[in-house]
Amino acid sequence: MREFGTTVFATMTRLAVETGSINLGQGFPDTDGPEAMLGRAVEAIRGGLNQYPPGPGVPELRRAVSEHQKEYYGLGYDPDGEVLVTVGATEAIAATVLALCEPGDEVIVFEPYYDSYAAAIALSGAARVPVLLRVDAGRFTFDPDELAAAVGPRTRAILVNSPHNPTGTVFTREELASIAALCEAHDLIAITDEVYEHLTFDGVEHVPLATFPGMRDRTVTISSAGKSFSVTGWKVGWVCAPYALVSAVQAVKQFMTFTSSAPWQLAVAYGLRHEMEWVAAQRASLSAKRDRLTEGLVAAGFDVLRPAGTYFIQADIRPLGFDDGLAFARQLPERAGVVAIPTQVFYDHAEYGARYVRFAFCKRDDVIDEAVDRLKRL
Ligand SMILES: *Cc1c(COP(=O)(O)O)cnc(C)c1O
């Protein structure tokens, strides 16, 4: 693991604190999740739910996840054996890759990719094979031929993140169908990171890969409460997959963490059952924030790619006279009192991401406005 130092998010957040900058780097909201859901966690603690919950997760949450998949996507999962609660999506991803991939295997990832993917794949001993997302018609997308060319005899799995961090792309049905077709043709497992499933804008729909013909049986669907309910510090995630896959993932999970915090699991079960209107309102509010920050960044001189989902914006720094996002992001706290993430850190081939920095817009309006005022001084 020597090549994996401190994550860029920790580094940039520390820089923000040290310089008193506005942190539009790390993607955590600065407002709380639904009040009643927070109350459920407190009640659970006061009510004595403070010992180890069952390894697969508290039954209430497994049932709530199963109902959620049915209601939103028409996908049926048995809460006893096809749903596993994890310590956030991060553990779900790591446990899944460790369970299903071995030294010599290859895992396809879309580049730029969320940083934990490379680490999880490295821990498993497998090799990552990146497929580039290129900008076409104002959004990041992939070339289906390049994806097909990345599949080889050792390919074990494709890791798919949609809505996609850090680009804000939401894969279309056509894009997903091309991934599904490859999985079917080459007998691959799909591992899907859907933590932004409820954060899409302009009527763009999130379609789980597991809903495509034949895909439910070969897909490990992963999500978590952090992004949907603005509780990123709770770290409650889950896996939905057929029995055999879930039991393999659970075999790994039991030795990583065994189980996770009971009070938060109960509270998230409540959230999934009773706070989806709050999530819908949150989505509308984030859509307005996206517009607010987009307009502000354009006014400050950036070229902006309008995201269809997540809470991140990719801004092209070239119109401001820069071409190295890493140097730009390092100077930004000092020069403007704002922190952004250099997009190139999400790449194996940094040169493709050099011109972009990522700004998060899951912040209060006054924080966004102040950041924009500062950036206009650049
Ligand atoms: C935030 C994030 C995660 C981690 O989710 P947790 O539930 O906090 O572990 C995983 N994948 C992506 C793409 C994310 O943005």
Side-chain angles (χ1 to χ4, degrees):
M1 294 301 284
R2 281 197 185 87
E3 65 169 296
F4 298 95
T6 307
T7 78
V8 65
F9 309 105
T11 307
M12 296 312 281
T13 291
R14 193 187 31 150
L15 204 56
V17 173
E18 278 168 15
T19 58
S21 294
I22 296 178
N23 189 356
L24 301 188
Q26 198 171 13
F28 59 86
D30 56 6
T31 50
D32 254 336
E35 192 62 40
M37 185 176 116
L38 306 183
R40 294 307 276 229
V42 175
E43 263 173 47
I45 293 170
R46 292 280 177 219
L49 209 87
N50 298 307
Q51 308 307 329
Y52 292 129
V58 301
E60 289 88 339
L61 179 54
R62 284 185 275 123
R63 279 201 293 274
V65 167
S66 169
E67 286 161 14
H68 171 275
Q69 295 307 97
K70 190 79 193 168
E71 185 182 333
Y72 281 85
Y73 310 122
L75 288 165
Y77 292 100
D78 179 354
D80 298 316
E82 292 188 310
V83 179
L84 172 69
V85 177
T86 57
V87 182
T90 308
E91 187 194 36
I93 294 160
T96 301
V97 171
L98 286 169
L100 305 177
C101 304
E102 300 182 46
D105 287 347
E106 291 176 353
V107 180
I108 294 176
V109 287
F110 292 97
E111 174 182 38
Y113 52 78
Y114 188 65
D115 62 344
S116 85
Y117 301 172
I121 294 167
L123 281 170
S124 77
R128 65 178 179 270
V129 176
V131 171
L132 194 61
L133 295 177
R134 303 171 188 277
V135 175
D136 181 32
R139 66 190 279 277
F140 283 80
T141 183
F142 62 92
D143 175 344
D145 293 334
E146 282 181 15
L147 177 62
V151 178
R154 308 306 307 264
T155 309
R156 173 76 169 142
I158 302 186
L159 227 164
V160 180
N161 170 216
S162 178
H164 183 264
N165 174 11
T167 67
T169 282
V170 181
F171 283 159
T172 62
R173 280 185 181 276
E174 293 70 43
E175 287 163 344
L176 292 164
S178 75
I179 298 170
L182 272 185
C183 290
E184 282 282 290
H186 299 276
D187 194 21
L188 309 179
I189 290 169
I191 304 167
T192 66
D193 176 346
E194 306 184 19
V195 299
Y196 296 100
E197 61 186 315
H198 292 296
L199 305 185
T200 61
F201 314 123
D202 310 325
V204 170
E205 60 168 350
H206 165 68
V207 187
L209 194 57
T211 61
F212 284 76
M215 289 305 290
R216 184 197 173 282
D217 290 341
R218 57 173 73 253
T219 301
V220 179
T221 301
I222 292 168
S223 192
S224 96
K227 310 293 162 57
S228 296
F229 295 104
S230 285
V231 288
T232 60
W234 283 17
K235 299 295 287 186
V236 175
W238 49 85
V239 167
C240 294
Y243 296 100
L245 293 175
V246 163
S247 91
V249 177
Q250 196 184 335
V252 174
K253 186 237 151 56
Q254 67 187 337
F255 296 118
M256 293 169 75
T257 54
F258 177 58
T259 186
S260 64
S261 308
W264 286 273
Q265 290 191 42
L266 261 200
V268 170
Y270 176 86
L272 286 169
R273 289 212 169 113
H274 303 287
E275 296 290 357
M276 294 312 287
E277 274 174 35
W278 185 95
V279 174
Q282 175 76 350
R283 175 209 304 238
S285 148
L286 278 170
S287 170
K289 289 179 190 299
R290 175 201 57 176
D291 295 342
R292 198 178 194 96
L293 184 58
T294 301
E295 280 160 31
L297 290 174
V298 168
F302 294 90
D303 266 350
V304 174
L305 290 157
R306 221 175 127 84
T310 75
Y311 36 58
F312 302 110
I313 291 179
Q314 288 297 331
D316 189 333
I317 58 175
R318 286 174 303 172
L320 289 166
F322 297 89
D323 56 13
D324 179 4
L326 195 59
F328 179 84
R330 285 219 177 99
Q331 295 166 14
L332 200 58
E334 205 58 37
R335 295 173 66 122
V338 175
V339 162
I341 300 288
T343 304
Q344 59 185 269
V345 302
F346 299 95
Y347 285 83
D348 285 337
H349 305 93
E351 63 275 19
Y352 290 112
R355 69 180 74 147
Y356 300 108
V357 293
R358 190 195 78 175
F359 290 98
F361 55 83
C362 48
K363 308 291 173 180
R364 295 193 318 268
D365 286 348
D366 59 303
V367 173
I368 293 175
D369 292 346
E370 173 63 23
V372 166
D373 282 345
R374 294 184 183 190
L375 288 168
K376 281 182 182 158
R377 286 182 226 138
L378 276 174

